[in-house]
């Protein structure tokens, strides 16, 4: 159950950070009822508890009016009074002390420019701030703290604001229409001048044809070469095997050189003996 609740809290935080610009450390405005709930349920480190449910660092705020209201409630709220004095003070420009609800209305306002989370146990106060876009609400349930989901009014406000951003403002529409009408008038004048000039030239010499001027080729942009069919890669081709044929050269005697090399001279021993006898 706790893991599922943390997933929901992360989802709600993404909504407020993306649509209303909330940034960490998150500023949490605590009223007297919420501070008393923390003390009653013995949540001794409220800053750490709120950091755990949001998953991001937090900073707790209150006002002098809230502290004064806790002080006026007597000894039963003395611990809550001491705990409230340890929180940071939000700017509260009231000459006279005001009720906590009125003070919160003045500090947060209708736009919540300071991006406060409102932590309260007051049901009427939570119901009132659900109708104001961009005010996340936190309340306590026993020892657990819960971040409320965005109300339907807050979601509708975000949708309407996105649609308005996507639309063109009326002033820009007027300027665009003026620019388009001016360009159209200039084009009409140019075409009428061109027709007049062509009519005069036709009356002078109808046989003369006006050569077509081709548009200059752009050189500032990237130049692309047409791909031509390429031959096979010479490095990937196998080399042809060269078969050497024996060269046959005729000799002076008409015999082949190869046969002459292989021929051996034979000498007869009898010729030597005959020569010696002679």
């Amino acid at each position: 159950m706790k893991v599922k609740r943390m997933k929901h809290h992360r989802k709600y935080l993404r909504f407020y950070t993306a649509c209303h610009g909330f940034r960490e450390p998150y500023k949490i405005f605590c009223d007297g009822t919420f501070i008393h709930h923390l003390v009653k349920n013995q949540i001794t480190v409220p800053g750490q508890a709120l950091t755990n449910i949001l998953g991001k660092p937090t900073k707790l705020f209150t006002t002098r009016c809230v502290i004064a209201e806790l002080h006026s409630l007597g000894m039963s709220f003395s611990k809550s009074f001491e705990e409230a004095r340890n929180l940071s003070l939000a700017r509260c420009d009231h000459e006279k002390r005001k009720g906590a609800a009125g003070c919160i209305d003045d500090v947060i306002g209708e736009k919540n420019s300071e991006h406060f989370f409102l932590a309260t146990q007051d049901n009427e106060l939570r119901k009132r701030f659900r109708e104001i876009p961009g005010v996340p609400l936190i309340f306590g349930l026993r020892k657990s703290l819960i971040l409320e989901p965005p109300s339907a009014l807050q979601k509708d406000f975000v949708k309407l604001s996105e649609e308005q951003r996507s639309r063109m403002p009326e002033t820009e529409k007027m300027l665009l229409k003026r620019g388009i009408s001016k360009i159209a008038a200039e084009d009409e004048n140019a075409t009428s001048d061109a027709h007049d000039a062509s009519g005069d030239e036709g009356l002078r010499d109808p046989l003369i044809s006006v050569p077509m001027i081709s548009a200059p080729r752009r050189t500032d942009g990237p130049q692309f070469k047409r791909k031509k069919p390429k031959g096979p890669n010479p490095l990937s081709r196998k080399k042809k095997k060269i078969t050497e044929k024996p060269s046959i050269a005729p000799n002076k005697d008409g015999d082949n050189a190869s046969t002459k090399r292989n021929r051996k001279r034979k000498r007869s021993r009898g010729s030597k003996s005959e020569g010696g006898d002679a």
Side-chain angles (χ1 to χ4, degrees):
M1 187 68 181
K2 188 176 180 181
V3 176
K4 189 175 181 180
R5 188 182 296 166
M6 290 296 293
K7 287 182 179 178
H8 289 315
H9 288 173
R10 285 196 294 269
K11 182 180 177 181
Y12 305 152
L13 276 176
R14 283 196 297 269
F15 173 82
Y16 288 112
T17 53
C19 301
H20 296 285
F22 281 76
R23 296 291 180 268
E24 56 183 79
Y26 297 128
K27 296 190 288 185
I28 300 172
F29 189 98
C30 303
D31 72 341
T33 59
F34 185 76
I35 296 169
H36 184 67
H37 175 81
L38 296 176
V39 173
K40 186 179 178 181
N41 290 276
Q42 298 179 357
I43 303 174
T44 54
V45 188
Q48 186 62 38
L50 289 165
T51 300
N52 291 337
I53 69 163
L54 297 179
K56 301 290 182 181
T58 58
K59 192 173 182 181
L60 276 60
F61 289 86
T62 190
T63 58
R64 292 177 182 175
C65 296
V66 173
I67 295 172
E69 186 179 62
L70 286 172
H71 183 64
S72 65
L73 292 174
M75 292 299 295
S76 58
F77 287 84
S78 60
K79 290 184 179 179
S80 303
F81 170 71
E82 294 295 332
E83 192 67 34
R85 291 179 63 185
N86 296 329
L87 304 183
S88 301
L89 288 177
R91 189 171 180 179
C92 173
D93 298 330
H94 296 141
E95 295 180 0
K96 294 182 180 181
R97 195 192 77 179
K98 217 172 183 181
C103 181
I104 292 168
D105 287 337
D106 293 341
V107 172
I108 294 178
E110 296 182 357
K111 295 183 179 179
N112 194 13
S113 57
E114 295 292 329
H115 297 99
F116 279 117
F117 286 70
L118 178 59
T120 180
Q121 296 295 113
D122 190 349
N123 291 328
E124 292 295 328
L125 199 61
R126 278 160 50 198
K127 185 177 179 181
R128 190 191 315 165
F129 276 95
R130 284 192 196 107
E131 299 177 358
I132 298 175
V135 183
L137 298 172
I138 298 173
F139 67 96
L141 188 62
R142 296 178 184 174
K143 287 195 175 184
S144 60
L145 304 178
I146 298 171
L147 174 65
E148 278 194 11
S151 63
L153 189 142
Q154 292 179 346
K155 292 179 180 179
D156 293 340
F157 175 81
V158 171
K159 287 180 182 179
L160 288 173
S161 61
E162 287 179 357
E163 289 177 0
Q164 289 176 359
R165 274 184 237 153
S166 61
R167 291 175 185 171
M168 186 181 292
E170 294 296 329
T171 54
E172 292 185 6
K173 284 183 181 179
M174 294 294 293
L175 291 172
L176 186 62
K177 287 179 181 179
R178 288 177 186 175
I180 291 171
S181 60
K182 188 177 180 180
I183 292 169
E186 290 177 357
D187 290 342
E188 287 179 1
N189 293 332
T191 51
S192 62
D193 293 342
H195 283 306
D196 294 340
S198 62
D200 295 341
E201 288 178 358
L203 291 172
R204 289 173 188 171
D205 195 353
L207 298 176
I208 297 173
S209 61
V210 179
M212 296 295 292
I213 300 172
S214 60
R217 190 176 180 182
R218 290 183 61 183
T219 57
D220 55 347
Q223 300 295 325
F224 299 100
K225 295 182 179 179
R226 291 184 179 178
K227 291 184 178 180
K228 297 180 180 180
K230 296 179 181 180
N233 189 356
L235 298 176
S236 65
R237 296 175 63 186
K238 291 183 178 181
K239 294 183 179 180
K240 293 182 179 179
K241 294 181 180 180
I242 301 171
T243 56
E244 295 183 358
K245 294 181 179 180
S247 59
I248 302 170
N251 218 3
K252 288 182 179 180
D253 299 334
D255 297 332
N256 292 337
S258 60
T259 56
K260 189 174 181 181
R261 287 173 191 166
N262 296 330
R263 189 182 299 167
K264 292 182 181 180
R265 187 175 180 182
K266 294 181 180 180
R267 292 182 181 180
S268 60
R269 294 179 184 178
S271 60
K272 284 184 179 181
S273 60
E274 288 175 0
D277 295 338

